[in-house]
Amino acid sequence: MMPLPMHERPPTNNHRHYVRPALGLPAVVRLQGQELGALVTDISLKGALLKLDTPLPQPCALNTALHLDLLSDPERILLLSLNAEVRHASSHWLGVSWPTIDLDNLTTLRQLLIANVADDQQIDRELSELFSTAQQAPTE
């Protein structure tokens, strides 16, 4: 089997804290005045890895704001609508995270994760840890 060209390979990161099941769901990314089609290759309670349908039209800096709509497949019904930030970017790949998430999106994300992970208790443990960390964060 031939290795994938560089733009077809996701960035590697083995330091992830949250379970990130493989997904393969379509998404729409609104970034820097552009609307880009994408595929959500994996997702967690805090972020996702997106494979863009086309290369980024311009370089993208760390923490650049974007909006992510995650869609069902094949119906393309809106599942999640999140404000997010760029964590890393290359030609065809975006790593994103959401600093905050509303309860409706969090509930849907939890259901999506449980449906794609064999261990639903792991998701609940991560969710409890996420809430615990948020409560310990200093307020300004």
Side-chain angles (χ1 to χ4, degrees):
M1 182 152 95
M2 296 281 297
L4 291 172
M6 284 305 288
H7 74 275
E8 293 290 324
R9 295 183 203 164
T12 57
N13 182 350
N14 295 328
H15 303 291
R16 292 181 172 155
H17 183 73
Y18 297 97
V19 171
R20 292 179 77 108
L23 269 191
L25 289 176
V28 175
V29 179
R30 287 176 196 81
L31 172 70
Q32 299 173 327
Q34 303 278 328
E35 188 169 289
L36 307 168
L39 184 70
V40 179
T41 61
D42 67 40
I43 195 165
S44 77
L45 289 171
K46 288 295 291 177
L49 179 63
L50 312 173
K51 183 176 186 286
L52 302 174
D53 295 343
T54 58
L56 281 170
Q58 57 194 19
C60 191
L62 181 67
N63 297 328
T64 300
L66 62 93
H67 189 83
L68 173 66
D69 286 336
L70 180 66
L71 309 170
S72 66
D73 188 33
E75 302 87 8
R76 298 188 63 85
I77 297 169
L78 182 65
L79 298 174
L80 295 170
S81 185
L82 301 163
N83 291 317
E85 297 175 347
V86 173
R87 290 292 163 235
H88 57 86
S90 62
S91 171
H92 282 81
W93 295 93
L94 273 181
V96 303
S97 69
W98 29 91
T100 61
I101 185 170
D102 64 79
L103 186 57
D104 289 338
N105 276 313
L106 182 60
T107 301
T108 303
L109 179 57
R110 179 184 174 275
Q111 292 169 344
L112 185 64
L113 289 168
I114 287 173
N116 287 281
V117 174
D119 185 2
D120 61 336
Q121 292 177 352
Q122 173 70 29
I123 301 301
D124 287 337
R125 282 191 300 272
E126 290 177 4
L127 194 54
S128 293
E129 183 179 311
L130 187 63
F131 282 137
S132 173
T133 303
Q135 289 175 348
Q136 294 172 5
T139 56
E140 295 181 35

